[in-house]
């Protein structure tokens, strides 16, 4: 994934430029390019070769700051054709499904690859993410989004064009993570593909989907710790006497459902 803080900015890398007021601009560094801003232009060439957190001057002498984007900054900006799992929900899913370094994770559908990037970060280089997706155009988009963020390119991601409702050809997963219209159709296959003690996680935009999934999971008699959560995130504006919640917040994204497979009696 992203190089550590000691590495210098190189061409082709994403950089987050903060103007003197803190406004953010995500750019892809290229030797000849320029960021145009009303407080002056910033040459990419002045950023390339600098360390994370570097201060550079615009053509008007104003100070801009350049940092490596957080994964969530990059995910929110990347091209998408599908709905994505937003960072607040992805973070919750990773924690509640206990996704950890070294695990082998199955993800379906892959969509734009937003959740794929979060999963790759969580499992680390020793882990593996296998993604099933029915649409080849989504596979291409997800792969290009992953490659844009992950340098060097991850060798532990395997994407397959496959309809997961028909079955799970791979096995021995520590986690199965779903973002599909009908996740309950995967439950019969999950029992063979997921290791006992492993977690199933499913993101569902609608509570009707969540209900159907949870009842299907419960009816198998093979899952425990069945939990459904909604994450409400409220940012706060803190400046002098003006200390208050942000005026606007995201009203709804979806529900995160998790359940844990156990052995047969
Ligand atoms: N979590 C993704 C978004 C997934 S959108 C992200 O964060 O970017 C849902 C995806 O599921 C779509 O790309 C859709 O093509 C795919 N999909 C739908 N049914 C499927 C199936 N039966 N098997 C595999 N993928 C499927």
């Amino acid at each position: 994934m992203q190089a550590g803080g000691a590495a210098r900015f190189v061409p082709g890398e994403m950089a987050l430029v903060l103007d003197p007021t803190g406004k953010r601009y995500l750019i892809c560094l290229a030797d000849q390019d320029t960021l145009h801003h009303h407080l002056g232009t910033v040459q990419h060439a002045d950023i390339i070769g600098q360390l994370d957190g570097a201060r550079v001057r615009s053509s008007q002498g104003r100070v801009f700051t350049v940092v490596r984007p957080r994964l969530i900054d990059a995910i929110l900006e990347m091209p998408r054709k599908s709905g994505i799992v937003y960072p607040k929900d992805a973070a919750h899913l990773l924690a509640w499904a206990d996704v950890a370094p070294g695990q082998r994770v199955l993800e379906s559908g892959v969509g734009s690859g937003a959740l794929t990037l979060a999963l790759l970060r969580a499992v680390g280089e020793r882990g593996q993410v296998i993604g099933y997706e029915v649409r080849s155009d989504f596979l291409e988009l997800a792969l290009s989004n992953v490659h844009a963020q992950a340098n060097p390119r991850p060798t532990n991601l395997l994407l397959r064009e496959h309809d997961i409702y028909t079955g799970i050809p791979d096995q021995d997963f520590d986690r199965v993570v779903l973002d599909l219209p009908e996740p309950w159709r995967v439950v019969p296959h999950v029992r063979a593909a997921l290791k006992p003690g492993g977690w199933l996680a499913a993101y569902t935009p609608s509570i009707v989907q969540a209900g159907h999934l949870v009842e299907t999971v419960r009816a198998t008699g093979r899952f425990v710790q069945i939990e459904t959560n909604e994450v409400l995130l409220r940012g706060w504006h803190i400046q002098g006497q003006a200390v208050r919640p942000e005026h606007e917040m995201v009203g709804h994204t979806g529900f995160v459902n998790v359940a844990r497979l156990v052995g047969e009696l």
Side-chain angles (χ1 to χ4, degrees), residues 75 78 80 82-86 107-116 132-135 137-138 160 162-166 178-182 185-186 203:
I75 284 175
M78 70 190 197
R80 53 174 99 146
S82 64
I84 63 165
V85 176
Y86 274 77
E107 184 198 10
S108 188
V110 175
S112 307
L115 188 56
T116 313
Y132 295 166
E133 167 61 56
V134 271
R135 283 181 50 176
D137 56 330
F138 276 132
R160 284 185 195 278
H162 176 70
D163 176 352
I164 196 170
Y165 297 154
T166 66
L178 305 175
D179 178 6
L180 295 159
E182 298 176 292
R185 293 178 63 183
V186 184
Y203 172 83

Side-chain angles (χ1 to χ4, degrees), residues 3 39 43 50 55 58 91 103 106 109 113 139 147 194 217 235 240 256:
L39 296 175
Q43 302 300 329
Q50 301 270 12
R55 310 292 197 124
S58 73
Q103 289 175 352
L106 174 66
L139 282 176
H147 287 170
L194 187 59
V217 162
V256 177

Side-chain angles (χ1 to χ4, degrees), residues 5-220:
R8 293 180 182 273
F9 284 113
V10 294
E13 189 180 350
M14 306 299 291
L16 192 68
V17 181
L18 308 172
D19 75 10
T21 69
K23 199 159 178 252
R24 299 139 33 128
Y25 302 84
L26 190 69
I27 59 173
C28 180
L29 292 171
D31 280 315
Q32 307 297 326
D33 272 5
T34 306
L35 173 70
H36 294 274
H37 191 279
H38 67 276
L39 296 175
T41 55
V42 175
Q43 302 300 329
H44 289 206
D46 290 344
I47 298 170
I48 291 166
Q50 301 270 12
L51 292 172
D52 200 347
R55 310 292 197 124
V56 296
R57 287 196 184 274
S58 73
S59 58
Q60 293 179 22
R62 303 299 300 267
V63 176
F64 285 65
T65 308
V66 191
V67 290
R68 289 210 158 79
R70 289 175 294 185
L71 186 58
I72 63 172
D73 296 320
I75 284 175
L76 290 174
E77 295 291 330
M78 70 190 197
R80 53 174 99 146
K81 287 197 207 164
S82 64
I84 63 165
V85 176
Y86 274 77
K88 72 176 177 74
D89 298 315
H92 178 84
L93 186 152
L94 294 178
W96 259 246
D98 211 22
V99 181
Q103 289 175 352
R104 182 172 144 88
V105 177
L106 174 66
E107 184 198 10
S108 188
V110 175
S112 307
L115 188 56
T116 313
L117 278 160
L119 291 169
L120 281 168
R121 169 70 63 89
V123 301
E125 286 171 12
R126 290 184 297 108
Q128 189 181 27
V129 176
I130 296 180
Y132 295 166
E133 167 61 56
V134 271
R135 283 181 50 176
S136 61
D137 56 330
F138 276 132
L139 282 176
E140 275 171 37
L141 175 68
L143 203 58
S144 98
N145 279 335
V146 168
H147 287 170
Q149 304 312 324
N151 187 19
R153 291 181 171 194
T155 52
N156 57 349
L157 172 66
L158 180 69
L159 296 180
R160 284 185 195 278
E161 192 173 333
H162 176 70
D163 176 352
I164 196 170
Y165 297 154
T166 66
I168 301 180
D170 299 284
Q171 281 179 339
D172 284 329
F173 289 104
D174 299 296
R175 306 288 181 260
V176 173
V177 177
L178 305 175
D179 178 6
L180 295 159
E182 298 176 292
W184 50 88
R185 293 178 63 183
V186 184
V187 171
H189 313 308
V190 165
R191 286 152 62 186
L194 187 59
K195 294 180 196 166
W199 286 90
L200 167 68
Y203 172 83
T204 50
S206 135
I207 196 65
V208 178
Q209 289 168 304
H212 200 149
L213 173 73
V214 165
E215 294 304 351
T216 306
V217 162
R218 186 172 292 130
T220 66

Side-chain angles (χ1 to χ4, degrees), residues 196-240:
W199 286 90
L200 167 68
Y203 172 83
T204 50
S206 135
I207 196 65
V208 178
Q209 289 168 304
H212 200 149
L213 173 73
V214 165
E215 294 304 351
T216 306
V217 162
R218 186 172 292 130
T220 66
R222 290 284 308 278
F223 287 87
V224 296
Q225 293 181 277
I226 305 171
E227 299 171 10
T228 296
N229 291 306
E230 180 182 11
V231 179
L232 306 178
L233 181 73
R234 188 162 73 151
W236 279 67
H237 172 92
I238 299 181
Q239 198 158 34

